[in-house]
Amino acid sequence: MENAALSIRDLTKEYVRGKPVLRGISLDFAGSGFTAIIGPSGTGKSTLIRCINRLVEPTAGSVIFENQDIVALPRRALRLARRQIGMVFQEYNLVERLTVMENLLSGRLGYVAPWKAWLRRFPQSDIDDAFELLDVVGLAGFANQRADSLSGGQRQRVGIARAVMQRPRLLLADEPTSSLDPKTSVEIMTLLRDLGRAKKIPVIVNMHDVELAKRFADRVIGMSGGVVVYDGAPSGLNDTDLKSIYGGEDWLQ
Amino acid sequence: MNDATLEARIWHRFTPAQRLVRFAVYLTVVTAVVVSIQTVEVIPEFLLDAPEQMADLLRRMWPIAFSHYPKGVHEALVETLHIATLGTIISVVIAFPIGLAAAHNIAPNRLLNHAARLLLVSSRSVNSLVWALLFVAVFGPGALAGTLAIAFRSVGFVGKLVGEAVEEANRGTVEALEASGAPWLSVLSFGYWPQIQPSFWSVVLFRWDINVRESAVLGLVGAGGIGMALDTAMNLFQWDRVAMVLLAIFTVVIAAEIVVTAIRKRIL
Amino acid sequence: MNVTAPRVAFPPNWRARAAWIALVLYIVYACSLLDFTWARFMVGLDNGARFIGRMLPPNFTRWEILVKGLTESIEIAILASVLGILLSLPIGLFAARNLMPLWVTWPSRILIALCRSFHPVIVAIVFVKALGFGAMSGIAALTVASIGFAGKLFAEAIEEISLKQVEAVRATGAPFMNVITYGVLPQVFGRFLGFSTYQLDSNLRNSTMVGIVGAGGIGGALFAAFQRFDYDFVCAMLLSIILLIFAGEVVANKVRAIFVERTRVDEE
């Protein structure tokens, strides 16, 4: 693909030598669009997502983002690259004892000097953005509430808002709805899709709920045993594909 | 039911090896006690005399010399509290970075990690009285030596517990901040600090409580505080004044414990 | 949402700011009160360098005194621990509010508080006056300290037990002592053993110190050497004490490991 925003080449990851979790994955992502990665548990979805911003160190391969190979970046440059990539986590990973506002602004930590962050001296533009985002995610008025007083759905909204606060060029989400009930899951997915469209950035979400993926994604990537077995439109996903992703067929009835 | 099954049903709580180790421990304890009793120097006359001497001592302590408090005890008591408090503050300042370096999840390398742990262990292995003797030799008698003694003894305690609190911090939260490209110091202040804050304050309060008790004794080796007043009264055999000093120590220690318990309840 | 009203990202935390200012003011005030000056500190550093120079190399030529002192310290620690723990068992039980009536718990709790409030070295002074110089006083002082700490921990452990099990034993019509041995002891035995090893560890540390006031052990020789400016011998003694305490900690951990397994077996 020409001018891909993110292109992954021959990505391999072995936690234990000789037992690869990812076996030479190559993928390209355009500058916008909602991609869902589906697959059974333990198939390397999380590892793939985490290799993109190197929370997990890849064993081999490259991740080209904005014309630089993230895998080859030294520490400081990696940090600068990470500022461009927002991430949403399954367990929200909020700082529980801080307020919602502080959690949102922690998305700007990559841009603010540590001593200023300590004194909570964030630029006014960041604070304005944060208030605006709180309105967007439906948490207006929650700014000064502590994160641990929120419900799961509310926490994930804060998690998404924090990622968007980075003004990222790419948004990653690692099983963002796996800890939530079905109704809240749909709301969170809607929020992710709408924010991705509004900010014109690609969103890559990894999930195991096939129906949810079909409903929201522009593109579905199916993984099994560390390799990509399906890559295409959600409408093209048939039972044969699902069988090759998840194995067996009893569950399809 | 035949004999074979009966035998098989005999129940042992531990394996033979486990029982052997336990037996060895019990045997060692008993031997140690017996040997100690036989070799330790006990003078029977003194022992027989003890109840009478004790009664005599208590009689001389009564009535307590309350009039001695304003001019002989109060100032020393306040000094003791300052030694304990300042010593705790200094120890926190020193212990915090060492504790962070001792936490294996944030120490930048293993060498620094081990060095920090060694520092903490050595601080804890030296009694505060020994620290006081050392600092009296260096800085001369007085509260400065006492304060530093308290500080150096507390570094190991505070640093160890801070390090443990950091190691128990939730990884996910920290990962989220790292993923946003936050610099190391900001990860520390936004990711770790809010998580360790409650245990940090509780450790500091707990240590302050211990330090109030420990600083009362430092005066015996010349490191300032109420121990000096105790030493003076004792050398002059003014037992009613000794009783006054002991009462003052008791009151302050109990008060400190009540204050600490109350604050901890509110924080946690 | 009313957009015109200014929204505040961080409500100002006036209490925290006031606390920081108060802390700084306190440090300045206390330092001036205790007469800490930079000049004194610099003079001290000078002294310190000379002091360390005189400590090195450590002088082990009088190793007989050293070994004799250490042995006596170990004996004091062992006997005080055994005696203290034996006494702590009933006192701790009497202080447990879930099993005993108020008129029993109150005197026990006051006794424990009294034993806890004084540093073992201060208790040792009193015993030296009553029992005379020597290991006897040291043993008595550390026994008192053991009652203060082990007694409190025992009482707390007993207060945390499940009363349902006690009730079940009581329902069988068992007499009081059997209720204790079958309903209470099994629930707390493992933790008691843990506390006891901690107590031995702590008594070992303090038994090297009570000699400072003449209550036996290596502390007497240490203090005397300090007063004679015999710093290379001081250094030798300090190294041996640290080594001893280190060994004590290792042994205590090993023993705890042997018996902690037992408590796990109990729970299965």
Side-chain angles (χ1 to χ4, degrees):
Chain A
M1 200 189 294
E2 283 298 309
N3 291 330
L6 172 72
S7 63
I8 299 171
R9 285 280 166 275
D10 304 319
L11 192 70
T12 305
K13 173 62 188 176
E14 300 175 353
Y15 289 101
V16 181
R17 189 172 283 276
K19 289 186 180 168
V21 178
L22 298 180
R23 302 160 185 264
I25 296 217
S26 295
L27 289 168
D28 287 302
F29 296 90
S32 65
F34 194 100
T35 309
I37 304 177
I38 58 170
S41 321
T43 194
K45 299 191 304 275
S46 264
T47 305
L48 175 61
I49 282 252
R50 276 155 199 261
C51 279
I52 294 174
N53 63 357
R54 253 172 80 192
L55 282 179
V56 167
E57 212 55 61
T59 311
S62 59
V63 176
I64 313 290
F65 173 67
E66 310 247 294
N67 299 322
Q68 50 183 356
D69 182 5
I70 290 184
V71 177
L73 290 180
R75 252 180 106 89
R76 192 179 145 70
L78 170 66
R79 196 164 73 63
L80 298 183
R82 278 178 176 173
R83 301 197 307 197
Q84 310 292 329
I85 307 174
M87 183 149 178
V88 176
F89 298 82
Q90 178 182 353
E91 300 289 340
Y92 331 125
N93 292 5
L94 302 181
V95 187
E96 306 232 316
R97 294 177 51 83
L98 294 185
T99 63
V100 167
M101 179 51 88
E102 285 168 316
N103 269 292
L104 248 63
L105 286 169
S106 67
R108 301 302 299 168
L109 284 180
Y111 296 90
V112 176
W115 66 272
K116 278 192 174 168
W118 176 251
L119 294 174
R120 306 293 189 263
R121 294 248 178 88
F122 287 89
Q124 189 55 42
S125 59
D126 287 351
I127 293 174
D128 293 342
D129 273 10
F131 276 121
E132 207 171 294
L133 258 175
L134 277 181
D135 295 342
V136 171
V137 300
L139 288 175
F142 282 84
N144 291 322
Q145 210 156 323
R146 256 170 62 158
D148 51 9
S149 69
L150 302 180
S151 71
Q154 290 172 329
R155 286 184 200 205
Q156 196 57 294
R157 287 161 196 271
V158 176
I160 292 170
R162 172 175 64 187
V164 173
M165 276 300 290
Q166 286 174 233
R167 297 182 199 124
R169 307 287 314 132
L170 167 67
L171 193 57
L172 305 174
D174 182 19
E175 309 245 359
T177 59
S178 294
S179 307
L180 301 171
D181 63 71
K183 179 171 169 284
T184 317
S185 297
V186 170
E187 290 169 7
I188 291 294
M189 291 301 284
T190 313
L191 191 56
L192 276 172
R193 183 188 59 190
D194 293 351
L195 277 168
R197 281 182 189 162
K199 308 281 172 192
K200 299 189 180 63
I201 51 172
V203 180
I204 305 175
V205 180
N206 130 24
M207 56 204 308
H208 55 241
D209 187 334
V210 181
E211 288 313 310
L212 213 54
K214 276 179 162 175
R215 181 168 160 190
F216 284 96
D218 308 318
R219 172 187 178 192
V220 171
I221 293 170
M223 279 180 70
S224 177
V227 291
V228 173
V229 293
Y230 179 87
D231 186 354
S235 52
L237 200 64
N238 56 32
D239 282 2
T240 327
D241 297 321
L242 286 176
K243 227 184 298 176
S244 70
I245 297 170
Y246 289 94
E249 48 194 278
D250 292 352
W251 62 278
L252 283 171
Q253 261 86 66
Chain B
M1 195 185 291
N2 61 35
D3 282 359
T5 55
L6 241 189
E7 198 177 16
R9 286 179 162 225
I10 290 174
W11 174 71
H12 286 299
R13 187 149 155 198
F14 302 113
T15 65
Q18 279 179 315
R19 269 182 291 159
L20 194 67
V21 172
R22 285 193 167 76
F23 180 71
V25 172
Y26 292 134
L27 190 71
T28 317
V29 171
V30 172
T31 318
V33 171
V34 170
V35 171
S36 301
I37 289 177
Q38 280 173 343
T39 49
V40 85
E41 195 182 7
V42 175
I43 303 160
E45 294 83 56
F46 279 13
L47 199 55
L48 289 174
D49 207 19
E52 201 180 310
Q53 290 287 337
M54 209 65 180
D56 183 51
L57 198 63
L58 288 178
R59 220 174 298 124
R60 288 188 206 198
M61 281 183 172
W62 195 262
I64 297 173
F66 287 108
S67 59
H68 181 56
Y69 180 79
K71 54 184 192 304
V73 181
H74 180 74
E75 211 171 302
L77 192 63
V78 172
E79 191 175 75
T80 297
L81 283 175
H82 284 313
I83 291 174
T85 313
L86 262 188
T88 312
I89 293 170
I90 296 173
S91 82
V92 169
V93 173
I94 303 175
F96 209 80
I98 303 181
L100 291 184
H104 66 73
N105 52 346
I106 60 169
N109 69 57
R110 296 210 62 71
L111 192 70
L112 187 69
N113 193 232
H114 285 300
R117 274 160 197 256
L118 186 68
L119 273 181
L120 295 181
V121 168
S122 11
S123 153
R124 272 182 296 137
S125 313
V126 178
N127 198 296
S128 48
L129 270 169
V130 174
W131 280 121
L133 282 168
L134 293 174
F135 283 117
V136 167
V138 171
F139 293 105
L144 179 58
T147 309
L148 290 176
I150 290 290
F152 273 68
R153 170 64 182 81
S154 308
V155 162
F157 183 92
V158 177
K160 177 170 182 265
L161 294 175
V162 165
E164 282 171 5
V166 169
E167 284 177 358
E168 280 165 21
N170 178 5
R171 193 50 221 144
T173 306
V174 173
E175 201 177 40
L177 297 187
E178 279 169 1
S180 78
W184 187 76
L185 263 175
S186 293
V187 172
L188 213 60
S189 71
F190 271 73
Y192 285 103
W193 172 242
Q195 293 195 56
I196 66 168
Q197 214 181 0
S199 54
F200 170 77
W201 290 116
S202 137
V203 165
V204 171
L205 281 170
F206 186 37
R207 189 63 218 183
W208 179 75
D209 186 23
I210 298 175
N211 283 346
V212 169
R213 214 168 309 214
E214 298 230 311
S215 59
V217 81
L218 297 178
L220 295 176
V221 295
I226 199 164
M228 301 265 240
L230 184 68
D231 203 32
T232 316
M234 195 104 58
N235 289 337
L236 300 173
F237 299 103
Q238 292 164 329
W239 289 103
D240 50 348
R241 290 188 175 185
V242 171
M244 178 64 241
V245 174
L246 292 181
L247 180 68
I249 295 176
F250 179 70
T251 316
V252 164
V253 168
I254 295 291
E257 203 172 315
I258 291 171
V259 168
V260 165
T261 323
I263 298 179
R264 278 175 76 161
K265 252 187 212 145
R266 278 188 49 196
I267 292 181
L268 298 181
Chain C
M1 188 90 210
N2 183 2
V3 198
T4 48
R7 297 201 278 186
V8 185
F10 311 110
N13 192 343
W14 295 111
R15 275 166 61 197
R17 284 182 203 178
W20 280 110
I21 293 170
L23 182 70
V24 171
L25 288 180
Y26 169 77
I27 293 175
V28 172
Y29 165 74
C31 284
S32 69
L33 195 78
L34 299 186
D35 196 24
F36 294 173
T37 59
W38 192 246
R40 255 188 94 185
F41 192 71
M42 292 317 284
V43 171
L45 285 189
D46 244 24
N47 278 341
R50 219 171 314 137
F51 176 68
I52 291 173
R54 287 181 65 178
M55 276 176 100
L56 297 173
N59 178 354
F60 283 97
T61 48
R62 274 168 291 170
W63 59 272
E64 284 115 329
I65 300 178
L66 208 155
V67 170
K68 187 167 165 290
L70 281 180
T71 321
E72 197 173 48
S73 281
I74 296 173
E75 287 166 354
I76 292 173
I78 290 173
L79 290 176
S81 301
V82 170
L83 216 60
I85 287 160
L86 287 181
L87 289 170
S88 296
L89 287 173
I91 294 175
L93 176 65
F94 288 146
R97 281 172 293 197
N98 54 347
L99 294 181
M100 292 290 162
L102 259 184
W103 60 271
V104 181
T105 58
W106 267 105
S108 317
R109 298 184 86 79
I110 289 174
L111 178 67
I112 289 174
L114 208 60
C115 292
R116 264 166 62 77
S117 299
F118 297 106
H119 194 283
V121 174
I122 291 182
V123 181
I125 303 177
V126 177
F127 278 113
V128 167
K129 300 296 171 186
L131 303 174
F133 287 100
M136 275 294 307
S137 303
I139 295 170
L142 291 182
T143 304
V144 167
S146 306
I147 292 173
F149 282 89
K152 180 167 187 268
L153 292 173
F154 286 177
E156 281 171 359
I158 294 175
E159 283 179 352
E160 282 167 21
I161 63 170
S162 146
L163 281 177
K164 286 178 185 152
Q165 300 177 39
V166 180
E167 210 170 34
V169 180
R170 222 174 244 157
T172 65
F176 179 76
M177 273 319 291
N178 288 356
V179 174
I180 299 297
T181 49
Y182 279 80
V184 179
L185 258 188
Q187 295 192 52
V188 292
F189 187 74
R191 296 184 65 189
F192 275 19
L193 263 172
F195 297 150
S196 303
T197 52
Y198 279 118
Q199 193 56 50
L200 180 64
D201 195 28
S202 143
N203 281 348
L204 194 60
R205 286 160 195 261
N206 283 320
S207 71
T208 58
M209 288 299 114
V210 288
I212 289 178
V213 293
I218 196 169
L222 181 70
F223 195 40
F226 252 108
Q227 288 178 320
R228 284 197 314 268
F229 308 109
D230 207 351
Y231 290 139
D232 52 352
F233 189 38
V234 165
C235 185
M237 279 191 279
L238 285 184
L239 288 177
S240 333
I241 290 175
I242 292 173
L243 208 66
L244 174 71
I245 289 169
F246 228 74
E249 211 175 299
V250 171
V251 169
N253 279 337
K254 280 264 181 305
V255 170
R256 226 171 287 140
I258 292 173
F259 287 95
V260 158
E261 206 181 36
R262 153 178 244 156
T263 52
R264 210 179 57 222
V265 171
D266 279 348
E267 281 158 11
E268 274 166 13

